[in-house]
């Protein structure tokens, strides 16, 4: 009887492990779901790390109690290798060669200090100055009455911005600060009140390099909604409340995904039209690595973090949101090196991301 009960328990746990592996695999490829048609499926990538952890729990369990069954979670990880590599790559990281360009992308949150930082302007300026970056792409580059732009211009001889304006008020700005002449700029037009994308053409030696700076549609979660989301993750709310709040959150995430998809499509079509240029694409995607937005941007480009980064690379630093939403990508004209999300500075609600690009 005990033996039969033991066998039944093992089979039940094995079945749960197989089901977890299958769902993990399916979730890992939800970036192929088109958000306007399947908005809730398209947001399921946010759950991918949960299934990675669950599968790891099964692996530890089998190693402790029935080692031969550990093959189940190992095979599940192997089957989901592609999305796992997108979510948390592990790469050998050689030093960048001489002559490689350093590219930095940073959502500076309008230079408005986070609660822990009273002088975001000074801290961000010092960080960018010390970075030695050749090309700096900033999102929410709205200095207001602050003197940051003049200070950055003291470092970089060439700079320009494209502003997003709603009802006569500037709601966002995409800035580029660089050592190279900017020969042309234009906004890549798509529908949004507060977000946008812009193309800057830089003269780098004999080449004209197209730099596309993006800030795709935000989830528009209020501080109160973010707090409730974190409370759900901590298990600090009742079951009924958690279910109700989860539905609200899912709806809001789905609506944002539906807006981002045509924005990503517009930028992708722009890149296709201008593919004769060496391309550097960067910015705040406001979407997780397992998403339609990231997949479309990386469709004809190299995702520099996936190719040369290491680890999860959490770039949105508010607790409870375990995602990399900031990215740098490049065309085949470049070889990327050591893409890094830098958690040493937290003057904004994003961490900066940088890498080196060597012209092929």
């Amino acid at each position: 009887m005990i033996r039969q009960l033991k066998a039944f328990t093992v089979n039940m746990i094995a079945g749960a492990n197989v089901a977890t592996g299958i769902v993990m695999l399916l979730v890992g490829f939800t970036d192929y779901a088109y958000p306007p048609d399947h908005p809730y499926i398209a947001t399921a990538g946010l759950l991918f790390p949960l299934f990675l952890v669950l599968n790891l729990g099964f692996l530890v369990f089998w190693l402790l109690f029935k080692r031969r069954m550990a093959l189940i979670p190992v095979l599940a990880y192997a089957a989901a290798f592609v999305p796992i590599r997108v979510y948390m790559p592990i790469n050998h990281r050689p030093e960048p060669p001489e002559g490689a360009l350093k590219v930095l992308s940073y959502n500076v949150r309008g230079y408005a200090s986070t609660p822990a930082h009273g002088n975001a302007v000074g801290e961000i300026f010092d960080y960018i100055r010390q970075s030695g970056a050749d090309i700096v792409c900033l999102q929410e580059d709205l200095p207001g009455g602050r003197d940051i732009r003049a200070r950055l211009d003291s470092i970089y001889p060439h700079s320009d911005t494209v502003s997003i304006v709603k009802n006569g008020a500037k709601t966002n700005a995409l800035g580029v600060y660089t050592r190279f002449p900017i020969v042309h700029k234009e906004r890549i037009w798509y529908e949004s009140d507060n977000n946008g994308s812009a193309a800057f053409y830089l003269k780098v030696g004999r080449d004209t390099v197209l730099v596309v700076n993006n800030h795709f549609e935000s989830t528009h979660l209020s501080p109160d909604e973010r707090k409730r989301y974190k409370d759900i993750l901590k298990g600090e709310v009742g079951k009924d409340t958690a279910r109700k709040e989860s539905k609200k959150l899912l709806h809001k995430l789905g609506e944002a995904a539906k807006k981002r998809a045509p924005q990503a499509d517009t930028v992708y079509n722009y890149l296709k039209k201008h593919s004769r240029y060496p391309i550097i694409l960067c910015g705040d995607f406001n979407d997780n690595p397992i998403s339609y937005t990231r997949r479309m941007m990386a469709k004809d480009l190299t995702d520099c973090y996936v190719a040369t980064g290491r680890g999860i690379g959490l770039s949105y630093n508010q607790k409870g949101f375990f995602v990399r939403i900031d990215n740098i990508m490049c065309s085949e004209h470049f070889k990327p090196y050591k893409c890094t999300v830098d958690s040493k500075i937290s003057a904004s609600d994003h961490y900066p991301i940088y890498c080196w690009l060597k012209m092929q």
Side-chain angles (χ1 to χ4, degrees):
M1 181 66 181
I2 294 177
R3 184 179 297 176
Q4 290 175 335
L5 182 60
K6 186 177 180 181
F8 175 77
T9 302
V10 168
N11 290 335
M12 287 291 290
I13 297 174
N17 193 174
V18 171
T20 298
I22 292 172
V23 175
M24 179 176 70
L25 180 62
L26 293 175
V27 169
F29 287 96
T30 52
D31 52 357
Y32 283 86
Y34 188 52
D37 296 334
H38 308 284
Y40 302 138
I41 294 175
T43 62
L46 287 167
L47 298 175
F48 189 67
L50 172 64
F51 289 100
L52 288 178
V53 172
L54 287 174
N55 199 56
L56 179 62
F58 281 115
L59 178 60
V60 172
F61 175 83
W62 293 127
L63 289 175
L64 291 175
F65 297 104
K66 205 171 184 66
R67 289 196 172 187
R68 65 185 179 85
M69 300 298 284
L71 186 62
I72 297 174
V74 169
L75 288 176
Y77 280 136
F81 172 78
V82 171
I84 290 173
R85 175 163 169 72
V86 168
Y87 182 76
M88 50 177 299
I90 299 175
N91 294 292
H92 172 59
R93 288 157 58 89
E95 291 298 317
E98 186 176 347
L101 305 176
K102 187 175 183 181
V103 178
L104 170 69
S105 179
Y106 194 8
N107 183 326
V108 294
R109 195 174 176 254
Y111 307 99
S113 301
T114 59
H117 294 79
N119 183 22
V121 170
E123 193 169 343
I124 290 171
F125 171 74
D126 288 341
Y127 177 84
I128 293 173
R129 178 175 55 82
Q130 294 167 13
S131 73
D134 300 289
I135 300 171
V136 178
C137 294
L138 302 182
Q139 302 85 46
E140 297 190 43
D141 186 21
L142 295 164
R146 307 171 186 91
D147 64 346
I148 183 69
R149 191 160 286 161
R151 296 168 74 178
L152 288 174
D153 285 342
S154 70
I155 308 173
Y156 294 99
H158 308 283
S159 65
D160 213 335
T161 58
V162 169
S163 300
I164 290 86
V165 179
K166 178 186 178 183
N167 298 328
K170 189 182 293 185
T171 60
N172 203 337
L174 302 161
V176 166
Y177 300 82
T178 177
R179 307 189 193 286
F180 307 107
I182 302 171
V183 296
H184 176 63
K185 70 171 181 179
E186 61 180 312
R187 183 174 174 185
I188 302 175
W189 286 95
Y190 52 71
E191 186 177 348
S192 180
D193 291 337
N194 304 301
N195 298 84
S197 298
F200 299 85
Y201 292 79
L202 277 56
K203 196 67 177 177
V204 181
R206 296 180 180 179
D207 296 294
T208 298
V209 175
L210 170 56
V211 177
V212 178
N213 191 359
N214 302 279
H215 190 190
F216 291 125
E217 197 72 26
S218 163
T219 55
H220 303 294
L221 294 178
S222 67
D224 187 52
E225 287 170 328
R226 294 175 191 273
K227 181 180 183 304
R228 290 201 298 270
Y229 166 70
K230 294 175 187 178
D231 291 341
I232 292 171
L233 290 181
K234 296 175 184 177
E236 295 179 354
V237 297
K239 185 182 293 185
D240 291 339
T241 302
R243 186 183 297 112
K244 183 179 178 181
E245 293 298 330
S246 296
K247 286 182 179 179
K248 287 182 182 178
L249 178 66
L250 183 60
H251 175 74
K252 205 154 192 179
L253 292 174
E255 289 302 306
K258 285 165 66 175
K259 291 180 180 180
R260 274 193 300 271
Q263 296 173 1
D265 291 340
T266 300
V267 173
Y268 173 76
N269 290 330
Y270 184 93
L271 297 175
K272 289 277 287 185
K273 185 178 178 181
H274 298 84
S275 60
R276 64 187 181 278
Y277 294 104
I279 294 171
I280 300 171
L281 179 139
C282 62
D284 174 7
F285 288 8
N286 269 316
D287 220 335
N288 71 92
I290 312 298
S291 66
Y292 178 86
T293 305
R294 193 218 68 91
R295 185 179 68 80
M296 284 302 294
M297 293 300 91
K299 195 171 182 180
D300 295 329
L301 301 177
T302 299
D303 185 323
C304 298
Y305 192 85
V306 173
T308 69
R310 184 177 293 168
I312 298 174
L314 306 181
S315 67
Y316 185 71
N317 60 36
Q318 298 304 290
K319 293 179 180 178
F321 294 86
F322 305 105
V323 289
R324 182 176 73 253
I325 62 177
D326 297 88
N327 298 270
I328 297 176
M329 301 183 182
C330 64
S331 63
E332 61 185 7
H333 302 84
F334 297 99
K335 182 178 176 62
Y337 291 86
K338 297 189 75 171
C339 193
T340 303
V341 175
D342 193 349
S343 60
K344 295 186 181 69
I345 176 172
S346 54
S348 168
D349 54 354
H350 291 246
Y351 293 131
I353 181 171
Y354 63 81
C355 76
W356 283 265
L357 300 176
K358 177 66 175 177
M359 184 77 81
Q360 299 279 48

